[in-house]
Amino acid sequence: MAAPPAGSTNAPYNYNYIFKYIIIGDMGVGKSCLLHQFTEKKFMSDCPHTIGVEFGTRIIEVSGQKIKLQIWDTAGQERFRAVTRSYYRGAAGALMVYDITRRSTYNHLSSWLTDAKNLTNPNTVIFLIGNKADLDSQRDVTYEEAKQFADDNGLMFLETSAKTGDKVEDAFLETARRIYQLIQDGSLDLNAAESGVQHKPSHVTRPLGTGEQPEATGKSCQC
Amino acid sequence: MAVADIRRPENINISQVLRINSFSLEDGHIFYYIQVTFGQYYWQCKRRYSEFKTLHDKMISDHRVDSDLLPAKYIFGVKNEAFLKKRQVDLEVYLLRLWHHLRQFPSALAEFLDFHLYEIHFVTENLCKLLQRVEQEGGRDSFSFTPIQIYAINKRRQLPEPTFGSSDKGRDFGHLLDFVHRLKTVKIVGSESLLGTSNIVENQLPLDLMIFKSAEHLTLDQLRTTELSGLENVRATVRVLRIHRTLQTLSVLLLRDADGWFAQDDAEYPRCLYWQKIVVADFSSNRIEVLEPSLKLLNNVEHLDLSSNQLRSLDHLNRLHNLQKLCLSKNYLAELEDLHAKLGNVQEINLSHNQLQTLKGLAKMYSLESLDISDNEISGVAEVQHLRKLPCLAKLNLTSNPITLVVDYRIKILACFEARANEVNLDGSPGTAQEISHVNILMALKKSQTSAIHLRKRPSDVNVTMGSPRSSPASPAPGHAVLQPTPSSSTAAT
Ligand SMILES: Nc1nc2c(ncn2[C@@H]2O[C@H](COP(=O)(O)OP(=O)(O)OP(=O)(O)O)[C@@H](O)[C@H]2O)c(=O)[nH]1
Ligand SMILES: [Mg+2]
């Protein structure tokens, strides 16, 4: 389900920024489906539980800048909580997902939010997503209630459906726009290792195969 | 060593402290064996008559000792057994008298008796001297100690005595203590063998680290954790901790002063037990066999080195949320099942010199940027296929694996990474222009390849045709073979 950039037709290295995202939330809320919908534009109806972490990328455009999103899809199962915590480090955006048909996943948001606030940097953009909006008949959390929660905590908010694809793009793109805005107004320091953003001059990578410079093999740990 | 206050000789029975046990003829010279005993500890030094004489001359000039005190040099005749026996006794009497006569114990006598190696006052005084030299050279903030030196400083600290014995203020103990308090980089190298000619085993001495109040880098080599104390300070200041040839488990260190908490506890430890400051933990060259839950006490560690241990599996590493660099080389690792479920956002892993036959467990370590698996037992290109989805991998070291003997090894490995082939540094060098163009051709071929093509040609033919890029891709060019994940290592030259 992860979609590495390798092999994609449009030159995969042509981008100006890399933004790191992390997707968090209870198991089964649809995190992996959201990622898949965003990167592949498809819905996976029988998606297995994520073990540890999954990964996907997609290049988007914000204000004429090509931005490569590096998205870490974490496992919601409690037993992976320790592993997934390490992926908060250096995330520029955090998508915090609950399932609008299961109230318990909404009730757990405060604990996810605590982790997100503690383990990311203050500039990390946190976006609240109420997923499975297509199942409106089984709705267990109202839009208004969640919107209130988001406002109280300074989060951006949307309801999405990974199944129909509704608002999925918007959630990922709005997060990127917000991050880009933070870069523009200088509140996000690109040089800080933990910012979750890398700037790359376009046409970045080493010219194809002029690989003569013998990179020092001296590893940093002398073992 | 230790102990009694040698500056007030009336307090101790000198004749029990000092004895000349024997003499012997070595290289044409007679040596007298002096034994110094303090409580349970003793040491021996051997001295020639001429050395007694030198000492005596100094005693005469510096301390107005009676010049007749030393038995006269025997000038004529044979040095027979009886004569030497008597001389042994006389010299012993000389030392006892000298000691008795002196109100202060002079450095010259201390050195003559090797006190500077074994006795706390003179061990510290010796350190003071060393320190003077260091400061003349412009000072420094790192220093290497032996356990006896630390023991002596701690003991000396607790003695109700003025901070300096000699008139030389440079040798003030307070000065030494201040220096130690301010040290940023401390190394302590212990030993299990007997110290010099003594019966002291340095590693049996209590080792209180409390005196290192500013240490940020601490290296402990060949010590016994059971003797360690004063770890509160280490927790408060040390950022880089290196321990070698000391540990059988990490808990013996991490929980050393944690009464009632056990290694296997997976409960939350109290805040004060965490080694919060530590960012680099180097536990290489120990005998660690398993990792225990207590590992999480190193909760802020970013770089963990466990190389040259005896690990067969990896556990509890998931608690280290800040871990970025992990060195596991020279262990007994044979498999890494689902590593991404055990290990978080790690950028760099060194697994060299293990027993890995498969890389399957690394397939989802998406955060990896640098991977060293040199000196393992990886034999097929199919194994490297497991790494092809790692989006950030920029450095891969496969040297000294059977796979490197595969024909067209580099091209086949680089081809695993498809469009990213030119971003991957393999075995210390990026793909050359030629290699990358070969990879590109392979990719083009693969794209147009229909699944039904069967190939029998040897992959060694590849080089012949590679020179012509964009050669009609539909034709079953011999290069196709390279695209197949080698099902077995049959192509490996053996
Ligand atoms: N109807 C509907 N079903 C969804 C939607 N999103 C996900 N699902 C279903 O919900 C189930 C769980 O989705 P996942 O994406 O695997 O959930 P997850 O959050 O990744 O779960 P973990 O990996 O265990 O943390 C799957 O069976 C999906 O088909 C949605 O928007 N609408
Ligand atoms: Mg999932």
Side-chain angles (χ1 to χ4, degrees):
Chain A
M1 83 190 88
S8 60
T9 41
N10 51 354
Y13 311 116
N14 196 3
Y15 50 84
N16 312 96
Y17 293 91
I18 299 180
F19 290 180
K20 285 194 185 182
Y21 281 17
I22 178 172
I23 313 180
I24 53 176
D26 277 10
M27 58 185 254
V29 298
K31 297 183 294 297
S32 301
C33 288
L34 283 166
L35 172 63
H36 198 75
Q37 179 61 253
F38 180 65
T39 56
E40 307 288 313
K41 301 195 165 56
K42 277 185 211 131
F43 177 62
M44 284 188 300
S45 49
D46 48 357
C47 176
H49 280 301
T50 304
I51 305 299
V53 68
E54 280 294 342
F55 178 84
T57 59
R58 194 179 131 185
I59 294 177
I60 57 166
E61 208 173 298
V62 170
S63 312
Q65 301 285 331
K66 285 228 171 10
I67 296 170
K68 178 169 173 173
L69 299 184
Q70 233 184 42
I71 307 155
W72 302 90
D73 165 29
T74 66
Q77 290 179 74
E78 184 60 34
R79 66 189 169 112
F80 294 117
R81 209 61 185 277
V83 176
T84 56
R85 278 203 174 109
S86 67
Y87 289 92
Y88 289 73
R89 172 182 4 114
L95 309 185
M96 189 167 73
V97 188
Y98 68 96
D99 176 348
I100 65 153
T101 69
R102 277 191 298 144
R103 182 145 201 104
S104 64
T105 66
Y106 175 80
N107 292 339
H108 288 159
L109 287 178
S110 59
S111 123
W112 288 109
L113 189 60
T114 309
D115 265 8
K117 296 241 151 143
N118 288 342
L119 298 167
T120 60
N121 65 66
N123 285 316
T124 302
V125 174
I126 305 177
F127 200 111
L128 180 64
I129 294 178
N131 189 39
K132 307 199 188 176
D134 56 292
L135 301 176
D136 199 49
S137 58
Q138 298 164 42
R139 181 184 282 277
D140 208 7
V141 183
T142 64
Y143 178 88
E144 289 71 26
E145 184 183 1
K147 177 78 178 119
Q148 188 62 48
F149 176 83
D151 289 347
D152 291 349
N153 290 285
L155 314 175
M156 300 167 87
F157 173 60
L158 273 180
E159 283 190 351
T160 64
S161 166
K163 186 170 184 178
T164 65
D166 187 38
K167 296 279 190 339
V168 173
E169 292 267 322
D170 307 58
F172 284 87
L173 293 184
E174 276 189 38
T175 307
R177 278 186 210 113
R178 179 89 189 101
I179 295 168
Y180 188 68
Q181 195 185 330
L182 288 176
I183 296 171
Q184 293 305 96
D185 67 23
S187 37
L188 214 156
D189 178 8
L190 287 177
N191 296 319
E194 304 296 273
S195 70
V197 176
Q198 280 171 44
H199 187 62
K200 291 211 174 191
S202 41
H203 310 110
V204 251
T205 42
R206 213 183 299 126
L208 270 193
T210 44
E212 257 55 58
Q213 68 274 42
E215 203 158 312
T217 33
K219 299 159 288 159
S220 25
C221 76
Q222 53 302 78
C223 42
Chain B
M1 82 161 196
V3 247
D5 185 349
I6 45 102
R7 277 167 219 266
R8 277 172 287 154
E10 64 273 16
N11 289 354
I12 46 172
N13 186 346
I14 308 169
S15 59
Q16 284 177 4
V17 173
L18 254 186
R19 286 189 52 195
I20 298 187
N21 281 339
S22 60
F23 57 84
S24 75
L25 180 71
E26 290 165 32
D27 295 333
H29 300 293
I30 300 295
F31 285 91
Y32 297 93
Y33 282 83
I34 309 165
Q35 176 163 325
V36 185
T37 309
F38 283 116
Q40 57 171 316
Y41 295 115
Y42 62 81
W43 68 89
Q44 233 177 22
C45 44
K46 57 176 190 183
R47 297 287 179 259
R48 293 171 56 187
Y49 178 82
S50 62
E51 291 171 287
F52 277 85
K53 183 79 173 86
T54 311
L55 170 71
H56 188 53
D57 290 345
K58 198 157 172 52
M59 292 296 111
I60 295 168
S61 63
D62 293 2
H63 299 278
R64 288 194 243 125
V65 170
D66 186 352
S67 63
D68 293 337
L69 205 59
L70 186 71
K73 190 165 169 71
Y74 190 84
I75 299 171
F76 306 107
V78 192
K79 288 168 184 166
N80 61 34
E81 181 83 12
F83 167 79
L84 292 170
K85 264 249 148 57
K86 177 166 173 1
R87 167 139 296 181
Q88 175 190 330
V89 173
D90 290 347
L91 287 175
E92 181 178 300
V93 170
Y94 166 75
L95 286 176
L96 294 177
R97 281 202 186 146
L98 188 60
W99 191 330
H100 203 74
H101 173 87
L102 295 164
R103 287 184 44 242
Q104 271 213 336
F105 200 86
S107 301
L109 178 56
E111 240 157 77
F112 180 82
L113 294 171
D114 279 351
F115 272 42
H116 60 294
L117 300 179
Y118 308 110
E119 194 279 336
I120 56 175
H121 289 91
F122 291 94
V123 168
T124 51
E125 194 169 307
N126 215 28
L127 270 172
C128 288
K129 267 193 249 174
L130 212 65
L131 177 60
Q132 262 180 323
R133 226 173 304 146
V134 164
E135 294 196 331
Q136 275 157 16
E137 288 162 9
R140 55 175 146 149
D141 57 9
S142 70
F143 207 86
S144 181
F145 294 91
T146 59
I148 196 170
Q149 291 173 330
I150 293 166
Y151 178 76
I153 294 171
N154 277 313
K155 275 281 174 196
R156 180 74 178 78
R157 208 161 53 100
Q158 290 156 21
L159 290 177
E161 285 177 25
T163 55
F164 59 99
S166 57
S167 51
D168 185 351
K169 292 223 169 150
R171 299 195 187 164
D172 191 320
F173 176 66
H175 204 63
L176 172 63
L177 214 49
D178 181 47
F179 173 77
V180 168
H181 284 176
R182 282 185 292 110
L183 273 177
K184 292 256 188 292
T185 302
V186 176
K187 184 172 182 181
I188 306 171
V189 184
S191 164
E192 288 294 335
S193 46
L194 295 176
L195 177 63
T197 60
S198 75
N199 68 339
I200 302 168
V201 175
E202 280 195 275
N203 279 1
Q204 288 172 349
L205 300 172
L207 196 67
D208 186 346
L209 302 177
M210 209 62 172
I211 47 173
F212 300 113
K213 295 194 188 297
S214 320
E216 292 179 7
H217 295 240
L218 176 66
T219 303
L220 307 177
D221 190 4
Q222 276 182 286
L223 295 168
R224 290 190 196 174
T225 48
T226 46
E227 302 305 329
L228 286 179
S229 63
L231 294 175
E232 310 83 294
N233 257 16
V234 178
R235 283 203 184 86
T237 61
V238 174
R239 292 185 302 110
V240 177
L241 178 65
R242 301 181 192 278
I243 304 185
H244 312 297
R245 296 183 285 185
T246 298
L247 303 171
Q248 264 171 315
T249 69
L250 285 179
S251 295
V252 294
L253 170 83
L254 298 177
L255 293 170
R256 165 81 193 113
D257 54 354
D259 291 335
W261 292 93
F262 300 105
Q264 296 309 323
D265 279 348
D266 204 16
E268 286 306 311
Y269 294 101
R271 213 73 218 131
C272 61
L273 287 183
Y274 281 80
W275 300 65
Q276 309 246 26
K277 278 269 162 79
I278 294 188
V279 177
V280 176
D282 175 358
F283 302 127
S284 58
S285 302
N286 284 286
R287 280 172 294 153
I288 302 167
E289 290 179 13
V290 288
L291 299 173
E292 297 153 315
S294 55
L295 185 62
K296 70 179 171 198
L297 292 171
L298 293 168
N299 60 335
N300 284 322
V301 106
E302 292 174 9
H303 177 184
L304 178 63
D305 191 338
L306 288 163
S307 57
S308 299
N309 277 287
Q310 298 166 6
L311 295 172
R312 287 171 200 280
S313 67
L314 300 174
D315 307 291
H316 306 291
L317 285 165
N318 56 359
R319 300 310 186 91
L320 307 180
H321 304 151
N322 291 305
L323 191 61
Q324 294 170 29
K325 209 169 137 185
L326 177 61
C327 189
L328 294 163
S329 83
K330 299 188 179 144
N331 277 280
Y332 303 149
L333 298 168
E335 54 158 7
L336 305 162
E337 212 183 308
D338 277 350
L339 195 60
H340 65 288
K342 298 176 185 165
L343 198 61
N345 192 357
V346 172
Q347 274 88 58
E348 193 175 330
I349 302 187
N350 185 338
L351 285 160
S352 62
H353 293 274
N354 277 282
Q355 299 155 10
L356 297 174
Q357 296 184 349
T358 175
L359 301 177
K360 197 158 175 240
L362 290 163
K364 291 188 173 182
M365 277 302 302
Y366 296 121
S367 54
L368 271 188
E369 293 169 11
S370 171
L371 177 62
D372 188 342
I373 23 183
S374 55
D375 280 287
N376 277 279
E377 292 156 28
I378 306 298
S379 54
V381 177
E383 290 306 329
V384 182
Q385 286 286 348
H386 292 303
L387 306 180
R388 68 181 227 282
K389 281 194 182 176
L390 302 185
C392 311
L393 192 67
K395 254 181 161 180
L396 175 63
N397 191 345
L398 282 166
T399 48
S400 302
N401 276 283
I403 192 175
T404 56
L405 303 174
V406 170
V407 180
D408 290 329
Y409 153 75
R410 279 186 64 88
I411 293 169
K412 283 180 194 164
I413 300 300
L414 289 171
C416 293
F417 298 96
E418 303 183 346
R420 285 190 63 246
N422 68 328
E423 288 187 353
V424 176
N425 178 311
L426 177 62
D427 301 343
S429 57
T432 62
Q434 205 192 8
E435 283 167 348
I436 298 300
S437 73
H438 286 190
V439 169
N440 288 341
I441 294 162
L442 290 180
M443 279 167 54
L445 290 173
K446 188 180 182 184
K447 229 179 211 171
S448 58
Q449 183 185 26
T450 56
S451 54
I453 298 177
H454 290 288
L455 295 152
R456 293 237 149 69
K457 303 256 171 147
R458 303 284 304 169
S460 53
D461 298 343
V462 170
N463 285 334
V464 184
T465 51
M466 275 307 163
S468 56
R470 316 232 170 271
S471 63
S472 122
S475 72
H480 280 131
V482 182
L483 297 169
Q484 306 301 318
T486 341
S488 70
S489 54
S490 61
T491 48
T494 34

